[in-house]
Amino acid sequence: MKKLVLLGALALSVLSLPTFADEKPLKIGIEAAYPPFASKAPDGSIVGFDYDIGNALCEEMKVKCQWVEQEFDGLIPALKVRKIDAILSSMSITEDRKKSVDFTNKYYNTPARLVMKEGTVVSDKLTELKGKNIGVQRGSIHERFAREVLAPLGAEIKPYGSQNEIYLDVAAGRLDGTVADATLLNDGFLKTDAGKGFAFVGPQFTDEKYFGDGVGIAVRKGDALKDKINTAIAAIRENGKYKQIQDKYFDFDIYGK
């Protein structure tokens, strides 16, 4: 009888304990193939600016982050079927995407650039791209831009599953170049051994029609999570945590104007 009383008391005490296990984790979708924003360390863990920002936001909101890896073009479908609660994977805020998801305020903003062989001349009119094979990440804003702006000028647009695959084919000469986020290209390719002999060419691309109002975190339509994340973004900007993470990866203000 004493044992039953003791077991009952223990069960009640466990149920009454306020633990983090009782809280639902925030499932965040990310593609870990986009250095310096998100990539895999030698031990298989995720590292990068996006990953650190996400963890800082979860800490600020006092929730547990549960990271879910997904190829970029599968992130929005995964969000819609509730496989994930949010997308934090360098996704630009565009009018087209706003039809499917809600976005938080931006957490960074950088232009897109074109990378080709060093010394290649590309004018603002981009007419030199006729007949050139340009690699883009499938499902990205850069693919849409390339198909609607570069393809009509005669460029051959080649979609890939990841930017890392594109780098391999650019370095091997199977592609003439690639268009993507400038910071990504600089840190993920130009500063590496594989990127030697390549450089930014042509103008910066900032057209809001394609590149939107910066990079934000996507949530489902009407989800109150958006406001909670916006509050957390403002908080880490204010308390210095954002700058601490930024300075770990960049030597400039990536938040933008």
Side-chain angles (χ1 to χ4, degrees):
M1 185 67 178
K2 288 182 179 179
K3 287 183 179 179
L4 289 174
V5 172
L6 179 60
L7 287 171
L10 285 171
L12 286 172
S13 66
V14 169
L15 287 172
S16 64
L17 285 174
T19 64
F20 281 111
D22 296 328
E23 300 291 333
K24 286 182 64 177
L26 184 64
K27 293 180 287 185
I28 305 178
I30 191 169
E31 184 195 39
Y34 207 67
F37 297 99
S39 59
K40 300 299 277 292
D43 65 0
S45 62
I46 305 173
V47 295
F49 178 77
D50 282 351
Y51 180 72
D52 288 356
I53 288 291
N55 287 329
L57 293 174
C58 285
E59 183 180 349
E60 183 65 34
M61 294 186 290
K62 295 180 172 55
V63 297
K64 179 182 177 182
C65 275
Q66 182 180 327
W67 293 92
V68 179
E69 289 187 61
Q70 178 82 48
E71 285 198 358
F72 191 81
D73 58 356
L75 285 169
I76 288 180
L79 180 66
K80 287 184 170 182
V81 299
R82 298 180 177 271
K83 181 180 177 182
I84 55 178
D85 303 309
I87 300 169
L88 204 167
S89 194
S90 290
M91 184 170 281
S92 295
I93 304 165
T94 66
E95 291 303 317
D96 188 52
R97 286 178 178 150
K98 285 179 184 178
K99 296 173 185 175
S100 300
V101 300
D102 282 347
F103 279 99
T104 65
N105 298 333
K106 72 172 184 178
Y107 67 96
Y108 80 84
N109 192 10
T110 54
R113 293 295 304 271
L114 183 67
V115 160
M116 300 180 74
K117 276 283 188 183
E118 194 170 11
T120 303
V121 176
V122 177
S123 65
D124 288 352
K125 293 184 178 180
L126 307 174
T127 52
E128 298 85 355
L129 297 181
K130 184 177 181 179
K132 302 296 184 183
N133 291 313
I134 305 298
V136 290
Q137 184 170 11
R138 189 180 296 112
S140 68
I141 56 172
H142 306 99
E143 180 184 17
R144 182 188 171 206
F145 168 76
R147 291 194 183 283
E148 295 185 11
V149 176
L150 305 185
L153 296 173
E156 298 290 334
I157 308 306
K158 309 290 184 181
Y160 284 73
S162 75
Q163 196 65 37
N164 287 336
E165 295 174 62
I166 295 173
Y167 296 152
L168 291 173
D169 278 3
V170 170
R174 290 185 287 269
L175 288 171
D176 296 300
T178 179
V179 61
D181 177 86
T183 305
L184 165 76
L185 290 170
N186 190 50
D187 287 62
F189 185 60
L190 295 180
K191 287 184 177 180
T192 69
D193 290 340
K196 289 178 179 177
F198 294 90
F200 288 126
V201 299
Q204 292 188 3
F205 303 124
T206 57
D207 189 339
E208 286 187 11
K209 176 182 176 182
Y210 299 103
F211 305 108
D213 303 312
V215 170
I217 299 166
V219 299
R220 283 183 288 276
K221 282 284 189 180
D223 196 330
L225 179 61
K226 181 180 86 168
D227 293 334
K228 293 178 182 177
I229 296 176
N230 277 337
T231 299
I233 291 172
I236 65 170
R237 290 276 299 161
E238 179 69 23
N239 65 24
K241 185 64 177 178
Y242 181 96
K243 188 175 188 306
Q244 181 183 337
I245 295 170
Q246 170 190 275
D247 292 350
K248 179 179 173 182
Y249 296 97
F250 312 110
D251 57 4
F252 61 94
D253 178 13
I254 196 171
Y255 187 78
K257 296 180 180 179

